[in-house]
Amino acid sequence: MSSRTYKIVLSLLLCISAIGLTWLAVPRVKTYLKGAKIAREKAARVERKLSESNAVVAKVEARKNFDETAGATTIDLGSHINASLNSSFVPRNAEGNNLAELEEGTKTLAGVPFHIRGSIQLSGRDLRLYSKASFPLEVTNIQVSASCYKLHILHGSYFVKNLGMRIAKLVLHYENGATEVIPIISGQHVLDWWAPNYETGVREDWRAVSATGSELAWVGSNAYIRKRQPHLSLRLFKSTFGNPRPDLKIATIDYVSMDTYSAPFLLGLTVE
């Protein structure tokens, strides 16, 4: 083989080799580009969730500390409170899964003043299954002794699994012996106390309560949720109900669980 022929053959072999290497590299390049696209989309979702969460928190914060009621009166739940804000009883052996960050005292949330000393915790099927503590299905004879047009409650619930369910009720006892019932419905007045603040990837009917007069009133965290599911927050809700008999004085109120999977709790009661 002449020197000239040798060079031509060598050049052809090098070209074939280069083409082969190129074809081998194509799948790797495609894989890299696909991975980079997924990473960018994931980062964008994280950024979007953070932005949405910050907007929700800002809205809640804006409704704090400014009393929008007209001479409302906070009701002291003290003698009926059966769980402190430091209590941790779900899951059974959990530590730090509590509302300590809320802190006791009189504070305005969602435009309404509430006197907070702890919670009236009611039972439910899943609470009995997963908790180390025992709670009643109802707490009765909460003293009110006042006439009002509105009742405001600060509340939450464990184990909200289904929406549109009556999970609790307020039974109003008037001084003349009459009674009225105000239902508390999941999805309308309250959602689970553990939930994301963002909307991305969350079903629309789980994002916020739907009833007029009900809204997210407080968001917070605790050591347990930060460790287990840091993308979630603790959430409490304010619900405002019209008094069915504003012409009569309310003597007492009963707070009653409907014994569903959910375990509702009441932190504040204010009449206006």
Side-chain angles (χ1 to χ4, degrees), residues 209-228:
V209 287
S210 61
T212 301
S214 291
E215 63 183 281
L216 183 63
W218 181 85
V219 295
S221 189
N222 61 40
Y224 190 82
I225 199 172
R226 282 192 293 269
K227 181 179 179 181
R228 298 301 181 97

Side-chain angles (χ1 to χ4, degrees), residues 15 23 51 92-93 95-96 99-100 109 111 119 135 159 162 167 202 215 217-218 257 262:
C15 287
W23 279 106
S51 177
R92 192 177 301 275
N93 297 312
E95 293 184 2
L99 287 166
L109 300 171
S119 68
F135 294 98
F159 306 115
N162 301 300
I167 65 171
V202 179
E215 63 183 281
W218 181 85
S257 169
S262 303

